[in-house]
Structure formats: C-alpha cells, structure tokens
Amino acid sequence: MSAANLVRRIGGRWGSLVSQRGFSTTPTSIIENGAAAEQGVKSLNLYSAINQALHTALDSDPRSYVFGEDVSFGGVFRCTTGLADRFGKSRVFNTPLCEQGIIGFGIGLAAMGNRAIAEIQFADYIFPAFDQIVNEAAKFRYRSGNQFNCGGLTIRAPYGAVGHGGHYHSQSPEAFFCHVPGIKVVIPRSPRQAKGLLLSCIRDPNPVVFFEPKWLYRLAVEEVPEDDYMLPLSEAEVVRQGSDITLVGWGAQLSIMEQACLDAEKEGISCELIDLKTLIPWDKETVEASVKKTGRLLISHEAPVTGGFGAEISSSIVERCFSRLEAPVSRVCGLDTPFPLVFEPFYMPTKNKILDAIKSTVDY
Amino acid sequence: MALSRIASSSSSSVLKPISAALTLRRPLSSDTTLTIETSIPFTAHNCDAPSRSVETSPSELLTFYRDMAVMRRMEIAADSLYKSKLIRGFCHLYDGQEAVAIGMEAATNKKDCIITAYRDHCTFLGRGGSLLQVFAELMGRKDGCSKGKGGSMHFYKKDAGFYGGHGIVGAQVPLGCGLAFAQKYSKDENVTFALYGDGAANQGQLFEALNISALWDLPAILVCENNHYGMGTAEWRAAKSPAYYKRGDYVPGLKVDGMDVLAVKQACKFAKEHALKNGPLILEMDTYRYHGHSMSDPGSTYRTRDEISGVRQERDPIERVKKLLVAHDIATEKELKDTEKEVRKEVDEAIAKAKESPVPQPSDLFTNVYVKGYGVEAFGADRKEVRATLP
Ligand SMILES: Cc1ncc(C[n+]2csc(CCOP(=O)(O)OP(=O)(O)O)c2C)c(N)n1
Ligand SMILES: [Mg+2]
C-alpha cells in the first residue's frame, strides 16, 4: 500500500526529468506480433504498461496465471489492477504471505506447461524464495536431463531506491541472480520497454526474474503501443551514440546516466549510452563494439559496487578490449554499505558522481 | 464477515467488580489487591487455561491507563509528523494494540527478551524506552534509539532485552528461539517473547521455529498479535485455519482477548511459568489496529468504517481500563482527563526536543557495517576518487 504513495510523493521533484529522457521513446527494435495492424499508441506510465502486458499475456494464453501477495486487489503498486475482474479468481489470485511457497508453487505450476507469473511485493522480500529460485527453478531442466523445466515461470519484483524507502524497500538484488546459470535477469528502463520485455520474459522458455524500477512506476511516461509486441531478450540497445566513452547501465539508472551524458556533452565529451536490458545472458558484443570504438567504459548501478554486476561487465570487457582501453574501467555504483535510510543521497550513484567519473576517465 | 467475529468477543465485557474489596469507597489504598475478571474466558489448546480472575491494584491500573495513553498519543503524534513530512520512509502505527505491549510488560522483567516485527514503537516504549528516543529515531536523528540509522521499523533497546524491530515478515521468530536457547543454557529463569502478526503466521519460518523450540524445550513464547489483517488481506483470506493458537499442533496455545490488558497480563504470566517448566507456548492475542497498515494505507478499503468504530466503542483497551478506574472509584473522569492533558504535554515536549536533535554525521553511513577496526574499504565513483575505510 505504502510505496505507491511514496512514489507519487517524489513525483513532483523528478517529474521534469522525465520529459527530457529523449532516448526512451525511440526503441530500436520492436518486433510486432501478428498482423501489421497498428492499433495506435497511448501515453502510459510504467505501472500501466506492466498492467497492459499482463492483460495481454493472460488474454493471449489461457494457460497463464498471475499470483502473489494482494495481486487480486491490484497489488501495492497497482500493476495487477483489473486482472482478477477480467480473467477470474482462478487465474489471478492472492497468495498468503509466504515467498518461498509462492515461488515453489510457481515452479510446479510451470512444470505442468503453464505460464506462472509470480509477483514478489518488493525485491527486498525475494530472499525467502532465494533457495527455490537458485536451487529449484534454475537447475530443473539441467538436472533432469531436459525431462522437466519451469520455463513458464516469470518472477516480477519492484526494485531500487525511491527517495526514502530505507533498508527494506530500496535494495537492488540483481547481482545475486546473475550468478545463477539457468535463469535470466531482465530490467526495463521505461514503460514501452517494460511492456515489450515483460511479454518476452513471460513467453521465454526459461525461468526469468524481471525487476521493475519502482522509482519509475508513476514517474516515467511515454508512448506505448497498445498491441501485443515483444522486445528481444539478451539484446542491448545503444540509446545514445557517442565517441569518447561508453556508459552501460539498466533500469532506473539509465535516466540518471542520460542526464550525466547531457551535462558531459556541454563540456565537450561525447558519451555513448547502452541499456543492457538483459543482465544474464548479456549482450557482450554490443558493449564490446562500443568500447572498441570509444576506448573507455563506465558502468553504473544502484547495488553496492563490490560484487555488483558491473564487476562482471568490467572483467569481460577488459578481456575482450584490453589493448583498446585508454583508461581503467570505471564503476559508479551504490556504496558498500547496507541501503541506508537517512543517507540515501550519499549512497546513490548520482548524476554528479557519474559526471565526475566520466571526466576523470576521459582525462586519464 | 470479519466484523461479527471481531466485535463478538467483546459482548460479555464484564467490568463489574467481583472482589469484596471493591465495595469500599475511596480512598482505596493504592496497593489494595483487586481481583478482576477478564472480559471473556481464555481458550486453550493442549493446556489448562489460567483463571479468569486477575489480581491487580489501583496503582497498577492507573499505571496501565497512563502508559497506554502515552502510547496512543505518541502514535497519533507520529501520524501528524509523518503527514508534515518530518518522518519519512515506512511507518507502522500500533494504536489499538496497546494492551498487548502493556500487559506483557506487567508479567515480565527486563531480563526476559522481546523480539518483534516493524510495528515496534510501543513495544520499545513498554521496555522503558523514552519518548525522545522514539521521536528522534522516527525523524532520523542522533538521539534516536538506533542513532537515527534505523527509522520506524528498527527500534532496539539492549539493556532491556528488546531485540527489536525487524523488517522481513516472520524472520524474527526463529531468532527468538535462539535467544530462548541462550537463556535456557545460562539457567537464568528467563523467557523470550517472539511477536509476529497474523499475516506472518503463514510464513514457513514460523513452523521451523515452532518445531525447534518444542524439540529443544526452549523457554520461547510465540505471540501472534492477531489484528485480523496483513496489509489489506483479512486473516481468513490468507489462512486456512485462523485459529493461530492451535497452529502449533503439538505446541500448546492460548487465545487471549488482546484488548484486555489484564487478560494479557494473566496470559503472559501463565506463559512464562509454562515455558520455564514445559517449553514453548503460542499466545494468540485477539487485537485490532486502528490505523491503516502503514502511513499511505487509509485502512478503509478492505474493512468497513463500522467495523473500526465498533471496535473502538466496544473493545478499546484504554476505555476498558478507564471504566474500571471509574467503576472502582479509583479515579474520576476529571482526573483521567488531567492525566491525558499531562500526557499530551509530555509528548509535545519530547517532539520539540527531538526536532532539535542533529541528524547523524555523513560519516556514520560507514559505521556499524563491520566491527570497528575490522573494516574493509568502501568505494565511490570510479573506485579511486571517493573511498573510505569502514570504521
Ligand atoms: C518477507 C516479507 N514479505 C512481504 C513483506 C511486506 N509486508 C510488510 S508487513 C506485511 C503484512 C504483515 O501482516 P501481519 O503479519 O499481520 O502484521 P501486521 O502488519 O498486521 O502487524 C507485508 C506483506 C515483508 N515486509 N516481508
Ligand atoms: Mg496483522
């Protein structure tokens, strides 16, 4: 209940930034599903885009289900509004407060050939289900020699900072799941991306953890096609072309990085910005090609820097581009502390921290 | 549906004196023993219920009244501070449930341990925490009980055995078993009260905790504060059996009117004796939260206003004690009004003081991650420019 208002409340402060986020309305790779008939577009915020994707998913496959804590009432962030009314209580239902049970149940449901779309109320609460995801979901296909799988399982969870969420309503746990072969991790940056990527995740034959940037639920608004479309997984997108340095990020952090790129441009630095979208398995080629061009790499995420997914990107790119690098790879991330309550502004990888790092990397 | 069940347990509210002493007119000496019957009988599972006749005294009743009034006022003040944005983040209020915290304190000492979830302000106050510590913590200030680093959900008081203040639903209960094991090992005749909600009762950890506490005969009392809702979900929507006191199966249980401070006191006293002799016990406290789940939940979409006002009128824990005080001629309405005024002033003063408390130093961001001196480095932008050794 609470976080929805929380997001609305900070809306005023950040609302103006949204309109500047030029990249988000120009996706490079939309796959239209079915006939070419354009049903038109509608201006939607991120939670409504997610809601639309869930409507589409349930409508297009009678063997799909949505469940989680309070989802039949619309969920804490309103993402599941109207689903129970339209598709009935047998396909959209509330679960008790029991994350481990929710995911274990989803794995079983998916193993019978269904699409199980589970919601974990906050990414911070995914840990009671960690074992089910890591040991059951991820390895089911492998250890049964492909007899069984839970490819129909998609786990949705809101992640990230919202301004003052404190220790247990703010974390970005994506790196834990990137260490697990057998599952995919996907994070969208905007409404249009969210709808297309979520539909891809739901229909992907592998279990997927889909983290939604709750900061942007109400804040990010863009034109979203009303029809059924999917965006490809494991394809990164160059959302801004540049020649001096490559910036890689995902989710809500993309808009912060975009602002840093704009400021850097004023100082004569040309930044290339890449939205990774799928964290595993990730699109090394797109990042590699960009770094070979610019000779510099900066990665930014909200999760603590040590052991974050930025470390993996850094290491892989150094392996591939060592001789082309003109400066050490830079990481601008959350600090190595628990997510703080009163110190959130210090903790966060802010625009100014990114701008400083861009400059020191370019001047190295 | 929920309403009938919630309101019905109050129907027999017996506030009539049953002890001879009560026919006396004032002045009653403050330590006279009064015997008062609980609102309704206890319901027991696999154990013999304690007596409904609870011993108390005029001074204890007056203290109950005052302490609960402070809690009520404190939570209402926190509500306004939140609305004026002096408190940020997540904030869960306890008004309506005060009798649980107060009754539990009356049956325990500070060597007994208490551990709870995020709805922790009043439990902290009950353990002897100060209003200043509460408000300063809520506002993220240095004088807060967790130095401003925890906020509403993370109150602690080590010197009084209050192990806090936990954000992950259900996670605190197995911790309570560990506390109880340590108490049993050191043979100090103390117990742990591990509190959780009706929503939390459905977490797997609860059953793990039950089994190990019974298996090892731990002096652990699992207290289900059943306020009938877990966020917007009514208990019956989430639990096949909402008889939480029976859900321990092989662990005995007791259902208690959690709006009756004397019943809570009696039950906790009984539970402590039981746990020291026979191991764990579940106490289900039938209670009610007046506020929404947290500050952005108006609390009126999943329950009726009639339900809320019905509980306020028929079962309010403070009103119950007030009626006893007046009926037994221990205090007049006017005296109790004065107490309320004092309480209000006390709360306002604490808030004013808390507002003057400084916010923690930015360097405190790095403290308490590891033991002092055992720190590692924390890195900022580009791993070179900003860098701190965790103190
Ligand atoms: C593991 C986990 N899942 C979900 C949440 C979100 N959440 C916080 S409180 C709550 C409801 C808990 O209800 P209950 O146990 O009845 O306690 P009450 O709030 O009524 O005191 C939920 C779902 C959480 N904090 N932790
Ligand atoms: Mg509850």
Side-chain angles (χ1 to χ4, degrees), chain A residues 218-273:
Chain A
R218 284 165 194 272
L219 217 49
V221 178
E222 73 179 334
E223 302 284 296
V224 178
E226 287 192 287
D227 59 354
D228 184 345
Y229 66 93
M230 298 197 288
L231 299 176
L233 302 186
S234 294
E235 251 181 50
E237 180 185 335
V238 179
V239 292
R240 187 191 159 90
Q241 307 265 353
S243 53
D244 295 331
I245 181 168
T246 301
L247 275 68
V248 176
W250 49 86
Q253 191 60 7
L254 251 279
S255 76
I256 309 294
M257 297 168 80
E258 170 83 357
Q259 292 157 38
C261 291
L262 290 170
D263 283 7
E265 191 171 38
K266 288 181 204 139
E267 304 195 23
I269 302 173
S270 163
C271 301
E272 181 144 310
L273 179 60

Short mmCIF file of all heavy atoms in Angstrom, two decimals, chain A residues 218-273:
data_model
loop_
_atom_site.label_atom_id
_atom_site.label_comp_id
_atom_site.label_asym_id
_atom_site.label_seq_id
_atom_site.Cartn_x
_atom_site.Cartn_y
_atom_site.Cartn_z
N ARG A 218 5.29 5.55 -11.62
CA ARG A 218 4.39 6.65 -11.98
C ARG A 218 5.11 7.76 -12.72
O ARG A 218 4.51 8.57 -13.40
CB ARG A 218 3.79 7.25 -10.70
CG ARG A 218 2.72 6.40 -10.13
CD ARG A 218 2.39 6.81 -8.70
NE ARG A 218 1.61 5.76 -8.08
CZ ARG A 218 0.28 5.70 -8.15
NH1 ARG A 218 -0.40 6.64 -8.78
NH2 ARG A 218 -0.37 4.71 -7.58
N LEU A 219 6.41 7.78 -12.52
CA LEU A 219 7.22 8.89 -12.99
C LEU A 219 7.47 8.86 -14.49
O LEU A 219 7.38 9.87 -15.17
CB LEU A 219 8.56 8.78 -12.27
CG LEU A 219 9.23 10.04 -11.85
CD1 LEU A 219 8.24 10.91 -11.11
CD2 LEU A 219 10.39 9.68 -10.93
N ALA A 220 7.82 7.70 -14.98
CA ALA A 220 8.18 7.60 -16.39
C ALA A 220 6.90 7.43 -17.21
O ALA A 220 6.12 6.53 -16.96
CB ALA A 220 9.10 6.41 -16.61
N VAL A 221 6.71 8.32 -18.16
CA VAL A 221 5.54 8.25 -19.03
C VAL A 221 6.03 8.31 -20.47
O VAL A 221 6.89 9.13 -20.80
CB VAL A 221 4.60 9.44 -18.77
CG1 VAL A 221 3.39 9.40 -19.70
CG2 VAL A 221 4.15 9.45 -17.31
N GLU A 222 5.55 7.41 -21.30
CA GLU A 222 5.89 7.52 -22.71
C GLU A 222 4.83 6.84 -23.57
O GLU A 222 3.93 6.18 -23.06
CB GLU A 222 7.29 6.98 -23.02
CG GLU A 222 7.41 5.48 -22.96
CD GLU A 222 8.81 4.97 -23.30
OE1 GLU A 222 9.56 5.66 -24.01
OE2 GLU A 222 9.15 3.87 -22.85
N GLU A 223 4.95 7.01 -24.85
CA GLU A 223 4.01 6.42 -25.79
C GLU A 223 4.26 4.92 -25.83
O GLU A 223 5.38 4.47 -26.08
CB GLU A 223 4.25 6.99 -27.19
CG GLU A 223 4.13 8.50 -27.28
CD GLU A 223 2.69 8.96 -27.25
OE1 GLU A 223 1.97 8.61 -28.20
OE2 GLU A 223 2.29 9.62 -26.27
N VAL A 224 3.21 4.15 -25.58
CA VAL A 224 3.34 2.70 -25.58
C VAL A 224 2.34 2.12 -26.59
O VAL A 224 1.15 2.44 -26.53
CB VAL A 224 3.04 2.13 -24.17
CG1 VAL A 224 3.13 0.61 -24.17
CG2 VAL A 224 4.01 2.72 -23.14
N PRO A 225 2.82 1.29 -27.52
CA PRO A 225 1.89 0.67 -28.47
C PRO A 225 0.85 -0.16 -27.72
O PRO A 225 1.18 -0.84 -26.75
CB PRO A 225 2.79 -0.23 -29.33
CG PRO A 225 4.17 0.30 -29.14
CD PRO A 225 4.22 0.89 -27.76
N GLU A 226 -0.36 -0.11 -28.18
CA GLU A 226 -1.41 -0.83 -27.48
C GLU A 226 -1.46 -2.30 -27.86
O GLU A 226 -2.08 -3.10 -27.17
CB GLU A 226 -2.77 -0.19 -27.76
CG GLU A 226 -2.92 1.13 -27.03
CD GLU A 226 -4.35 1.63 -27.07
OE1 GLU A 226 -4.78 2.07 -28.13
OE2 GLU A 226 -5.01 1.57 -26.04
N ASP A 227 -0.82 -2.65 -28.96
CA ASP A 227 -0.94 -4.04 -29.39
C ASP A 227 0.09 -4.93 -28.69
O ASP A 227 0.83 -4.50 -27.82
CB ASP A 227 -0.82 -4.14 -30.92
CG ASP A 227 0.50 -3.60 -31.42
OD1 ASP A 227 1.26 -3.06 -30.58
OD2 ASP A 227 0.79 -3.70 -32.61
N ASP A 228 0.07 -6.17 -29.10
CA ASP A 228 0.90 -7.20 -28.50
C ASP A 228 2.28 -7.18 -29.17
O ASP A 228 2.40 -7.57 -30.32
CB ASP A 228 0.18 -8.54 -28.73
CG ASP A 228 0.89 -9.71 -28.07
OD1 ASP A 228 2.08 -9.56 -27.69
OD2 ASP A 228 0.27 -10.78 -27.96
N TYR A 229 3.30 -6.68 -28.48
CA TYR A 229 4.64 -6.68 -29.08
C TYR A 229 5.65 -7.19 -28.08
O TYR A 229 5.44 -7.12 -26.87
CB TYR A 229 5.05 -5.28 -29.56
CG TYR A 229 5.22 -4.27 -28.44
CD1 TYR A 229 6.48 -4.05 -27.85
CD2 TYR A 229 4.15 -3.55 -27.95
CE1 TYR A 229 6.64 -3.14 -26.83
CE2 TYR A 229 4.30 -2.64 -26.92
CZ TYR A 229 5.54 -2.43 -26.37
OH TYR A 229 5.70 -1.54 -25.34
N MET A 230 6.75 -7.72 -28.59
CA MET A 230 7.80 -8.21 -27.71
C MET A 230 9.13 -7.57 -28.09
O MET A 230 9.38 -7.32 -29.26
CB MET A 230 7.92 -9.73 -27.81
CG MET A 230 6.65 -10.44 -27.38
SD MET A 230 6.93 -12.18 -27.04
CE MET A 230 7.16 -12.83 -28.64
N LEU A 231 9.96 -7.31 -27.10
CA LEU A 231 11.31 -6.83 -27.36
C LEU A 231 12.27 -7.98 -27.06
O LEU A 231 12.08 -8.70 -26.09
CB LEU A 231 11.63 -5.63 -26.47
CG LEU A 231 10.73 -4.40 -26.68
CD1 LEU A 231 11.07 -3.31 -25.67
CD2 LEU A 231 10.89 -3.87 -28.09
N PRO A 232 13.30 -8.14 -27.88
CA PRO A 232 14.16 -9.31 -27.72
C PRO A 232 14.97 -9.28 -26.42
O PRO A 232 15.43 -8.22 -25.99
CB PRO A 232 15.09 -9.21 -28.93
CG PRO A 232 15.06 -7.78 -29.33
CD PRO A 232 13.71 -7.26 -28.97
N LEU A 233 15.12 -10.46 -25.83
CA LEU A 233 15.99 -10.57 -24.64
C LEU A 233 17.44 -10.71 -25.12
O LEU A 233 17.71 -11.06 -26.26
CB LEU A 233 15.59 -11.79 -23.81
CG LEU A 233 14.14 -11.81 -23.32
CD1 LEU A 233 13.91 -12.99 -22.38
CD2 LEU A 233 13.76 -10.51 -22.62
N SER A 234 18.35 -10.45 -24.18
CA SER A 234 19.79 -10.57 -24.47
C SER A 234 20.24 -9.71 -25.64
O SER A 234 21.18 -10.06 -26.34
CB SER A 234 20.17 -12.04 -24.70
OG SER A 234 20.00 -12.77 -23.51
N GLU A 235 19.54 -8.63 -25.88
CA GLU A 235 19.98 -7.65 -26.87
C GLU A 235 20.07 -6.30 -26.19
O GLU A 235 19.05 -5.76 -25.75
CB GLU A 235 18.98 -7.56 -28.02
CG GLU A 235 19.48 -8.14 -29.31
CD GLU A 235 18.46 -8.02 -30.44
OE1 GLU A 235 17.93 -6.90 -30.65
OE2 GLU A 235 18.22 -9.04 -31.09
N ALA A 236 21.27 -5.78 -26.08
CA ALA A 236 21.43 -4.45 -25.50
C ALA A 236 21.06 -3.41 -26.56
O ALA A 236 20.96 -3.72 -27.75
CB ALA A 236 22.86 -4.25 -25.03
N GLU A 237 20.85 -2.18 -26.09
CA GLU A 237 20.46 -1.14 -27.04
C GLU A 237 21.32 0.09 -26.83
O GLU A 237 21.49 0.56 -25.71
CB GLU A 237 18.99 -0.79 -26.79
CG GLU A 237 18.47 0.28 -27.71
CD GLU A 237 17.03 0.68 -27.35
OE1 GLU A 237 16.31 -0.14 -26.74
OE2 GLU A 237 16.66 1.82 -27.66
N VAL A 238 21.88 0.59 -27.93
CA VAL A 238 22.62 1.85 -27.86
C VAL A 238 21.57 2.95 -27.89
O VAL A 238 20.95 3.18 -28.92
CB VAL A 238 23.60 1.99 -29.03
CG1 VAL A 238 24.34 3.33 -28.94
CG2 VAL A 238 24.59 0.84 -29.03
N VAL A 239 21.34 3.58 -26.76
CA VAL A 239 20.27 4.57 -26.72
C VAL A 239 20.79 5.97 -27.04
O VAL A 239 20.02 6.89 -27.25
CB VAL A 239 19.52 4.58 -25.37
CG1 VAL A 239 18.73 3.31 -25.19
CG2 VAL A 239 20.46 4.80 -24.22
N ARG A 240 22.13 6.10 -27.07
CA ARG A 240 22.71 7.39 -27.39
C ARG A 240 24.08 7.13 -27.97
O ARG A 240 24.89 6.41 -27.39
CB ARG A 240 22.82 8.17 -26.07
CG ARG A 240 23.25 9.59 -26.21
CD ARG A 240 23.57 10.16 -24.83
NE ARG A 240 24.43 11.32 -25.05
CZ ARG A 240 23.97 12.54 -25.23
NH1 ARG A 240 22.70 12.78 -25.14
NH2 ARG A 240 24.81 13.52 -25.49
N GLN A 241 24.33 7.70 -29.12
CA GLN A 241 25.61 7.48 -29.80
C GLN A 241 26.65 8.47 -29.30
O GLN A 241 26.31 9.62 -29.01
CB GLN A 241 25.45 7.69 -31.31
CG GLN A 241 24.33 6.91 -31.95
CD GLN A 241 24.80 5.60 -32.56
OE1 GLN A 241 26.00 5.34 -32.62
NE2 GLN A 241 23.86 4.77 -32.99
N GLY A 242 27.90 8.03 -29.20
CA GLY A 242 28.96 8.94 -28.78
C GLY A 242 30.30 8.34 -29.11
O GLY A 242 30.40 7.18 -29.53
N SER A 243 31.38 9.11 -28.91
CA SER A 243 32.67 8.62 -29.37
C SER A 243 33.76 8.60 -28.30
O SER A 243 34.81 7.99 -28.47
CB SER A 243 33.14 9.49 -30.54
OG SER A 243 33.09 10.85 -30.14
N ASP A 244 33.55 9.27 -27.14
CA ASP A 244 34.64 9.39 -26.17
C ASP A 244 34.61 8.33 -25.07
O ASP A 244 35.64 7.94 -24.54
CB ASP A 244 34.60 10.76 -25.50
CG ASP A 244 34.86 11.88 -26.49
OD1 ASP A 244 35.59 11.63 -27.47
OD2 ASP A 244 34.32 12.98 -26.30
N ILE A 245 33.43 7.91 -24.69
CA ILE A 245 33.32 6.95 -23.58
C ILE A 245 31.99 6.20 -23.70
O ILE A 245 30.99 6.76 -24.15
CB ILE A 245 33.42 7.67 -22.20
CG1 ILE A 245 33.34 6.66 -21.04
CG2 ILE A 245 32.37 8.77 -22.05
CD1 ILE A 245 33.71 7.26 -19.69
N THR A 246 32.01 4.92 -23.29
CA THR A 246 30.80 4.11 -23.30
C THR A 246 30.25 4.00 -21.88
O THR A 246 31.02 3.70 -20.95
CB THR A 246 31.12 2.69 -23.82
OG1 THR A 246 31.65 2.80 -25.14
CG2 THR A 246 29.87 1.81 -23.82
N LEU A 247 28.98 4.26 -21.71
CA LEU A 247 28.33 4.09 -20.40
C LEU A 247 27.35 2.93 -20.51
O LEU A 247 26.54 2.89 -21.44
CB LEU A 247 27.56 5.35 -20.00
CG LEU A 247 28.34 6.48 -19.30
CD1 LEU A 247 29.33 7.12 -20.26
CD2 LEU A 247 27.40 7.52 -18.75
N VAL A 248 27.42 2.01 -19.53
CA VAL A 248 26.50 0.86 -19.54
C VAL A 248 25.69 0.84 -18.24
O VAL A 248 26.26 1.00 -17.14
CB VAL A 248 27.27 -0.47 -19.69
CG1 VAL A 248 26.30 -1.65 -19.60
CG2 VAL A 248 28.02 -0.50 -21.01
N GLY A 249 24.40 0.67 -18.36
CA GLY A 249 23.55 0.58 -17.18
C GLY A 249 22.26 -0.14 -17.52
O GLY A 249 22.13 -0.74 -18.59
N TRP A 250 21.31 -0.07 -16.58
CA TRP A 250 19.99 -0.70 -16.80
C TRP A 250 18.99 -0.07 -15.85
O TRP A 250 19.36 0.58 -14.87
CB TRP A 250 20.05 -2.21 -16.57
CG TRP A 250 20.72 -2.60 -15.27
CD1 TRP A 250 20.14 -2.70 -14.05
CD2 TRP A 250 22.10 -2.93 -15.10
NE1 TRP A 250 21.07 -3.07 -13.11
CE2 TRP A 250 22.28 -3.22 -13.73
CE3 TRP A 250 23.21 -2.99 -15.96
CZ2 TRP A 250 23.52 -3.58 -13.20
CZ3 TRP A 250 24.43 -3.35 -15.43
CH2 TRP A 250 24.58 -3.65 -14.06
N GLY A 251 17.72 -0.27 -16.16
CA GLY A 251 16.64 0.17 -15.27
C GLY A 251 16.63 1.66 -15.01
O GLY A 251 16.97 2.47 -15.88
N ALA A 252 16.25 2.01 -13.78
CA ALA A 252 16.09 3.42 -13.43
C ALA A 252 17.38 4.21 -13.57
O ALA A 252 17.37 5.42 -13.81
CB ALA A 252 15.58 3.53 -11.99
N GLN A 253 18.52 3.54 -13.45
CA GLN A 253 19.79 4.24 -13.50
C GLN A 253 20.04 4.86 -14.88
O GLN A 253 20.79 5.82 -15.01
CB GLN A 253 20.93 3.27 -13.11
CG GLN A 253 22.28 3.92 -12.86
CD GLN A 253 22.25 4.93 -11.73
OE1 GLN A 253 21.26 5.08 -11.02
NE2 GLN A 253 23.34 5.67 -11.56
N LEU A 254 19.39 4.30 -15.91
CA LEU A 254 19.60 4.82 -17.27
C LEU A 254 19.27 6.30 -17.37
O LEU A 254 19.98 7.06 -18.03
CB LEU A 254 18.71 4.02 -18.24
CG LEU A 254 19.39 3.06 -19.19
CD1 LEU A 254 19.96 3.78 -20.38
CD2 LEU A 254 20.49 2.27 -18.51
N SER A 255 18.20 6.73 -16.71
CA SER A 255 17.82 8.14 -16.85
C SER A 255 18.82 9.04 -16.13
O SER A 255 19.09 10.16 -16.56
CB SER A 255 16.40 8.38 -16.36
OG SER A 255 16.36 8.39 -14.96
N ILE A 256 19.40 8.55 -15.04
CA ILE A 256 20.43 9.33 -14.34
C ILE A 256 21.67 9.44 -15.24
O ILE A 256 22.29 10.50 -15.36
CB ILE A 256 20.83 8.63 -13.01
CG1 ILE A 256 19.60 8.27 -12.17
CG2 ILE A 256 21.82 9.47 -12.22
CD1 ILE A 256 18.83 9.43 -11.63
N MET A 257 22.01 8.34 -15.88
CA MET A 257 23.18 8.33 -16.75
C MET A 257 22.95 9.23 -17.98
O MET A 257 23.85 9.92 -18.43
CB MET A 257 23.49 6.89 -17.19
CG MET A 257 23.84 6.00 -16.01
SD MET A 257 23.86 4.25 -16.42
CE MET A 257 25.46 4.11 -17.19
N GLU A 258 21.72 9.20 -18.45
CA GLU A 258 21.37 10.07 -19.59
C GLU A 258 21.62 11.53 -19.24
O GLU A 258 22.18 12.30 -20.02
CB GLU A 258 19.89 9.84 -19.95
CG GLU A 258 19.30 10.83 -20.94
CD GLU A 258 19.60 10.48 -22.38
OE1 GLU A 258 20.32 9.49 -22.61
OE2 GLU A 258 19.11 11.18 -23.28
N GLN A 259 21.22 11.91 -18.01
CA GLN A 259 21.44 13.30 -17.60
C GLN A 259 22.94 13.63 -17.53
O GLN A 259 23.37 14.72 -17.91
CB GLN A 259 20.80 13.56 -16.24
CG GLN A 259 19.28 13.50 -16.26
CD GLN A 259 18.73 13.21 -14.87
OE1 GLN A 259 19.27 13.70 -13.88
NE2 GLN A 259 17.68 12.42 -14.79
N ALA A 260 23.71 12.67 -17.02
CA ALA A 260 25.17 12.89 -16.96
C ALA A 260 25.73 13.04 -18.36
O ALA A 260 26.64 13.86 -18.60
CB ALA A 260 25.83 11.73 -16.22
N CYS A 261 25.22 12.25 -19.30
CA CYS A 261 25.69 12.36 -20.70
C CYS A 261 25.42 13.75 -21.25
O CYS A 261 26.26 14.34 -21.92
CB CYS A 261 24.98 11.34 -21.59
SG CYS A 261 25.43 9.63 -21.25
N LEU A 262 24.23 14.27 -20.94
CA LEU A 262 23.87 15.61 -21.45
C LEU A 262 24.80 16.66 -20.87
O LEU A 262 25.28 17.56 -21.57
CB LEU A 262 22.41 15.94 -21.09
CG LEU A 262 21.34 15.12 -21.83
CD1 LEU A 262 19.96 15.35 -21.24
CD2 LEU A 262 21.36 15.44 -23.33
N ASP A 263 25.08 16.55 -19.56
CA ASP A 263 25.99 17.51 -18.93
C ASP A 263 27.40 17.38 -19.48
O ASP A 263 28.10 18.38 -19.68
CB ASP A 263 26.01 17.30 -17.41
CG ASP A 263 24.77 17.88 -16.74
OD1 ASP A 263 23.86 18.32 -17.49
OD2 ASP A 263 24.71 17.89 -15.50
N ALA A 264 27.83 16.15 -19.72
CA ALA A 264 29.19 15.93 -20.25
C ALA A 264 29.30 16.54 -21.65
O ALA A 264 30.34 17.10 -22.02
CB ALA A 264 29.50 14.44 -20.30
N GLU A 265 28.22 16.43 -22.38
CA GLU A 265 28.21 16.98 -23.74
C GLU A 265 28.49 18.48 -23.72
O GLU A 265 29.22 19.00 -24.56
CB GLU A 265 26.85 16.70 -24.38
CG GLU A 265 26.80 16.98 -25.88
CD GLU A 265 25.50 16.48 -26.49
OE1 GLU A 265 24.44 16.60 -25.82
OE2 GLU A 265 25.54 15.95 -27.61
N LYS A 266 27.90 19.14 -22.71
CA LYS A 266 28.12 20.59 -22.59
C LYS A 266 29.59 20.89 -22.37
O LYS A 266 30.08 21.99 -22.66
CB LYS A 266 27.32 21.17 -21.42
CG LYS A 266 25.82 21.22 -21.70
CD LYS A 266 25.07 21.81 -20.52
CE LYS A 266 23.63 21.35 -20.52
NZ LYS A 266 23.11 21.01 -19.19
N GLU A 267 30.31 19.93 -21.81
CA GLU A 267 31.75 20.13 -21.58
C GLU A 267 32.56 19.50 -22.70
O GLU A 267 33.77 19.26 -22.55
CB GLU A 267 32.14 19.56 -20.22
CG GLU A 267 31.29 20.17 -19.13
CD GLU A 267 31.82 19.93 -17.73
OE1 GLU A 267 33.04 19.69 -17.59
OE2 GLU A 267 31.02 20.00 -16.79
N GLY A 268 31.91 19.17 -23.78
CA GLY A 268 32.61 18.68 -24.96
C GLY A 268 32.97 17.20 -24.94
O GLY A 268 33.82 16.76 -25.70
N ILE A 269 32.33 16.44 -24.06
CA ILE A 269 32.61 15.00 -24.04
C ILE A 269 31.43 14.26 -24.67
O ILE A 269 30.28 14.47 -24.29
CB ILE A 269 32.82 14.49 -22.60
CG1 ILE A 269 33.96 15.26 -21.94
CG2 ILE A 269 33.09 12.98 -22.58
CD1 ILE A 269 34.14 14.95 -20.47
N SER A 270 31.74 13.41 -25.63
CA SER A 270 30.69 12.69 -26.35
C SER A 270 30.52 11.29 -25.76
O SER A 270 31.42 10.46 -25.83
CB SER A 270 31.08 12.62 -27.83
OG SER A 270 30.31 11.65 -28.48
N CYS A 271 29.37 11.02 -25.15
CA CYS A 271 29.15 9.75 -24.45
C CYS A 271 28.23 8.83 -25.26
O CYS A 271 27.23 9.28 -25.82
CB CYS A 271 28.49 9.98 -23.09
SG CYS A 271 29.43 11.03 -21.99
N GLU A 272 28.57 7.56 -25.27
CA GLU A 272 27.68 6.56 -25.84
C GLU A 272 27.01 5.83 -24.68
O GLU A 272 27.69 5.39 -23.76
CB GLU A 272 28.48 5.58 -26.71
CG GLU A 272 27.61 4.51 -27.36
CD GLU A 272 28.09 4.16 -28.77
OE1 GLU A 272 28.32 5.08 -29.58
OE2 GLU A 272 28.26 2.96 -29.05
N LEU A 273 25.68 5.73 -24.72
CA LEU A 273 24.95 5.14 -23.60
C LEU A 273 24.26 3.85 -24.04
O LEU A 273 23.53 3.84 -25.03
CB LEU A 273 23.92 6.14 -23.07
CG LEU A 273 23.06 5.69 -21.89
CD1 LEU A 273 23.89 5.33 -20.67
CD2 LEU A 273 22.05 6.78 -21.53
#
